[in-house]
């Protein structure tokens, strides 16, 4: 077509699209970035339009029950625990409220796949299965700039879990692959205690690794350097702690899975609102089960004899919590209480005259009454001490042999058997083994989950001394009370409150711990105990809570807890308020089309 012809035709040509030139109404919209929870198929059309997600999800409005049914069917199609872990990770990333609704209705069934034992395998393979960012990484090469990097985190943070990956569960040094621990732990803070998911920060400090296999693996995503020195780590953590609290002054900082957890706890616990779950949380949750076991056996504190297999940070932390219980509840002096514990490490009974240089944290429990004799094996120690209580924090699978378990039953009417190591493969014995070789007489709790079993015509349910009974309540209690520190009394209160959280049925059944399906209810009890302890110690800054009765405080805690079932209602209320303000009468008009 010639230019002249084109000039002639163009004015008379009609547009191909039916474009109408009129002003379109602009519906009310949120002026905040969308989160994964905004793409929820349970939301009605008006909420989707308000969130600007209308048309971005299938049009059907689904009930919570239908959503859960689909998720559980998908979950069951996954063949391995790791595949189930990956599915739940994807669900949390793409529909956060649906994930936590699913957890609320299936916490007992799903927890093993978002935390122990499956998280252990996930951490080992983190560099192989990584698909999306979760949390924040601070590297040693970033020192001097940590405050600037932390500014990149887009949300207000109330609590963080930090690890250096140097001792993940019983699996050793995994470097930045340890990120699975903060991610999983914070998912439980939300599921169990209702800390809002966007107020949590998974944090891994990349201080190098001495795991040569990872350093040689081309898929490893951390710094390819050996672990920094203790002095370099101290300086780095000093900078990190200052940067975190400058950005979020009220932040609660929980340390997890450091190879040597004592230096940071000693250095920071009186300066920041921080605690170490490996030492303090483990001690508190075992304290809760231990109190109930002591009440069941009715053996006085002065007659208890506790043998601990494992004298590392977790073992010593637990033993110190139990010493405190013997002092407070048993009427013993500190020295008398300390003498009720015998610790066993890889070289045998921990004694002053064993001929080796004891690690500093072992000295407190080192025996001086062994009369020069050394006991090299657990069997020898059991025969020497004749314990009422056998605790395992050794990560040595099967260390409680049939012979040892049988001997415990010969020594006690109801031996207390607590194999506490994680994951399941590292447990000192299984529930089935404990029941079989003690003829069903033992009082049992483990660190990893084991199935119920039939014995003597009864269904027996194992107790699980899972830290998730206490650490969510410790964190929420510190947040709500605005505690300046997490004191030892607050930690003790969490375990004591846990012991008192059994309901009447659980007491009659002889359970050591409450039904995990009541975890939100239990977390309220633990949180209240932690807040009351903070108040008693004068470390709380939310002083208005002091005037509340326990009933009123429980109601306050519940009101502050994130509830994934109510998120849609909260958005609808927000929308009604906005429409009411636009209409000028405080109420939305009937038939308003948004």
């Amino acid at each position: 077509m010639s230019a002249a012809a084109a000039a002639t035709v163009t004015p008379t040509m009609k547009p191909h699209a039916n474009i109408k030139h009129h002003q379109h109404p602009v519906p009310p919209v949120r002026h905040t970035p969308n989160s994964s929870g905004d793409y929820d198929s349970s939301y009605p059309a008006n909420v989707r339009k308000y969130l600007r997600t209308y048309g971005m999800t299938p049009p059907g409005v689904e009930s919570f029950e239908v959503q859960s049914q689909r998720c559980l069917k998908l979950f069951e199609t996954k063949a391995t625990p790791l595949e189930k872990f990956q599915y739940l990770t994807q669900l949390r990333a793409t529909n956060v409220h649906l994930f936590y609704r699913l957890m609320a209705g299936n916490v007992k069934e799903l927890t093993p796949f978002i935390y122990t034992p499956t998280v252990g395998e996930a951490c080992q393979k983190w560099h192989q299965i990584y698909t999306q960012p979760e949390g924040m990484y601070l590297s040693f090469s970033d020192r001097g700039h940590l405050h600037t990097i932390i500014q990149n985190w887009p949300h207000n943070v109330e609590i963080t879990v930090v690890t250096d990956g140097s001792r993940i569960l019983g699996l050793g040094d995994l470097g930045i692959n340890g990120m699975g621990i903060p991610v999983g732990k914070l998912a439980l803070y939300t599921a169990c205690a209702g800390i809002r998911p966007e107020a949590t920060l998974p944090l891994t400090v990349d201080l190098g690794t001495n795991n040569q296999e990872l350093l040689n693996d081309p898929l490893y995503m951390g710094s390819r350097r050996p672990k920094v020195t203790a002095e370099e780590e101290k300086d780095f953590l000093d900078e990190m702690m200052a940067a975190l609290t400058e950005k979020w002054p009220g932040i609660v900082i929980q340390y997890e899975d450091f190879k040597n957890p004592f230096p940071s706890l000693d250095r920071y616990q009186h300066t920041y609102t921080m605690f170490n779950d490996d030492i303090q949380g483990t001690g508190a949750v075992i304290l809760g089960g231990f109190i109930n076991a002591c009440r069941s056996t009715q053996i006085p504190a002065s007659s208890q004899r506790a043998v601990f297999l494992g004298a590392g940070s977790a073992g010593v932390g637990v033993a110190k919590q139990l010493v405190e219980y013997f002092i407070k509840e048993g009427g013993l002096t500190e020295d008398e209480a300390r003498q009720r514990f015998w610790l066993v490490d890889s070289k045998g009974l921990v004694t002053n005259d064993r001929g080796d240089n004891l690690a500093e944290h072992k000295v407190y429990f080192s025996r001086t009454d062994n009369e020069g004799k050394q006991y090299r094996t657990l069997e020898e120690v059991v025969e020497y001490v004749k314990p009422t209580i056998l605790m395992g924090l050794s990560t040595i699978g099967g260390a409680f042999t049939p012979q040892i378990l049988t001997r415990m039953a010969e020594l006690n009417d109801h031996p207390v058997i607590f194999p506490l190591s994680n994951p399941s493969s590292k447990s000192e014995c299984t529930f089935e083994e404990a029941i079989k070789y003690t003829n069903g007489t033992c009082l049992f709790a483990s660190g990893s989950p084991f199935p119920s079993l039939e014995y003597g015509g009864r269904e027996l349910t194992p107790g699980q001394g899972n830290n998730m009974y206490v650490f969510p309540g410790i964190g929420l209690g510190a947040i709500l009370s605005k505690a300046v520190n997490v004191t030892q009394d607050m930690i003790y209160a969490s375990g004591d409150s846990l012991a008192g959280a059994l309901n009447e049925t659980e007491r009659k059944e002889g359970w050591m711990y409450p039904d995990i399906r009541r975890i939100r209810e239990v977390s309220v009890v633990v949180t209240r105990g932690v807040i009351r302890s903070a108040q008693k110690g004068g470390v709380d800054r939310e002083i208005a809570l002091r005037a509340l009765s326990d009933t009123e405080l429980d109601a306050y805690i519940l009101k502050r807890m994130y509830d994934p079932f109510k998120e849609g209602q909260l958005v609808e209320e927000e929308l009604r308020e906005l429409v009411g303000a636009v209409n000028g009468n405080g109420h939305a008009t009937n038939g308003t089309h948004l």
Side-chain angles (χ1 to χ4, degrees), residues 28-260:
V29 294
R30 252 188 181 175
H31 296 288
T32 56
N34 286 113
S35 72
S36 71
D38 293 338
Y39 298 88
D40 196 317
S41 59
S42 70
Y43 287 171
N46 62 332
V47 170
R48 298 183 193 189
K49 290 175 181 178
Y50 173 55
L51 297 174
R52 305 192 77 170
T53 61
Y54 187 84
M56 300 176 75
T57 56
V61 178
E62 296 187 308
S63 67
F64 296 154
E65 292 75 17
V66 168
Q67 289 181 313
S68 177
Q69 185 180 39
R70 179 187 297 111
C71 290
L72 291 175
K73 283 185 176 180
L74 273 169
F75 179 79
E76 291 303 324
T77 66
K78 309 304 177 184
T80 67
L82 187 60
E83 289 175 348
K84 294 177 189 291
F85 171 92
Q86 290 175 288
Y87 168 69
L88 293 172
T89 296
Q90 180 192 30
L91 180 62
R92 186 174 65 248
T94 55
N95 195 331
V96 65
H97 304 317
L98 175 54
F99 169 81
Y100 285 110
R101 288 196 294 269
L102 195 69
M103 279 293 298
N106 305 274
V107 65
K108 182 176 182 179
E109 295 77 13
L110 298 184
T111 294
F113 298 100
I114 65 170
Y115 204 60
T116 55
T118 309
V119 72
E121 182 184 3
C123 287
Q124 289 176 309
K125 299 178 179 177
W126 193 263
H127 60 303
Q128 300 168 357
I129 65 175
Y130 178 87
T131 56
Q132 62 200 13
E134 291 181 281
M136 177 167 274
Y137 298 85
L138 298 175
S139 295
F140 187 67
S141 60
D142 297 326
R143 61 195 185 281
H145 306 284
L146 300 187
H147 180 269
T148 301
I149 296 168
I150 286 171
Q151 305 308 307
N152 292 333
W153 192 255
H155 307 293
N156 180 55
V157 175
E158 294 180 331
I159 189 166
T160 182
V161 173
V162 58
T163 187
D164 70 346
S166 60
R167 197 221 64 182
I168 297 299
L169 302 174
L171 304 172
D173 180 0
L174 298 182
I176 63 102
N177 281 13
M179 178 57 96
I181 295 295
V183 170
K185 204 94 177 185
L186 287 166
L188 294 179
Y189 271 104
T190 298
C192 301
I195 298 174
R196 291 198 64 85
E198 66 271 19
T200 67
L201 171 60
L203 181 57
T204 293
V205 291
D206 178 15
L207 302 180
T209 177
N210 291 329
N211 186 325
Q212 200 59 44
E213 184 179 349
L214 286 177
L215 291 174
N216 294 335
D217 192 325
L219 295 183
Y220 181 63
M221 303 173 76
S223 300
R224 296 181 184 277
R225 57 157 296 150
K227 187 75 163 62
V228 302
T229 66
E231 186 66 24
E232 288 172 326
E233 178 176 324
K234 177 179 72 67
D235 292 342
F236 185 91
L237 294 177
D238 281 353
E239 181 185 351
M240 181 198 75
M241 296 294 283
L244 287 170
T245 51
E246 184 175 345
K247 171 71 172 174
W248 301 292
I251 190 172
V252 177
I253 303 168
Q254 186 223 296
Y255 274 57
E256 184 81 13
D257 284 354
F258 280 71
K259 184 176 182 180
N260 184 0

Side-chain angles (χ1 to χ4, degrees), residues 497-572:
S497 299
L498 172 61
L502 292 175
N503 62 28
E504 193 58 36
T505 300
E506 291 160 350
R507 287 192 186 92
K508 288 180 179 178
E509 292 290 327
W511 289 23
M512 301 296 101
Y513 293 99
D515 189 332
I516 199 68
R517 289 168 291 194
R518 296 198 301 113
I519 188 61
R520 298 268 291 201
E521 178 185 337
V522 171
S523 290
V524 171
V525 175
V526 173
T527 299
R528 186 215 311 148
V530 170
I531 291 174
R532 291 302 192 208
S533 180
Q535 293 168 346
K536 185 177 180 180
V539 297
D540 61 317
R541 290 175 290 184
E542 191 63 83
I543 59 176
L545 299 184
R546 297 180 184 180
L548 300 182
S549 67
D550 284 354
T551 301
E552 291 170 332
L553 183 55
D554 285 356
Y556 175 82
I557 293 167
L558 279 168
K559 186 176 181 181
R560 288 293 305 273
M561 292 171 77
Y562 158 80
D563 185 345
F565 292 94
K566 294 182 178 178
E567 285 299 301
Q569 298 173 27
L570 294 176
V571 178
E572 289 194 76

Side-chain angles (χ1 to χ4, degrees), residues 8 40 246 262 286 344 413 478 525-526 591:
T8 303
D40 196 317
E246 184 175 345
F262 292 102
I286 303 312
V344 180
D413 291 336
V525 175
V526 173

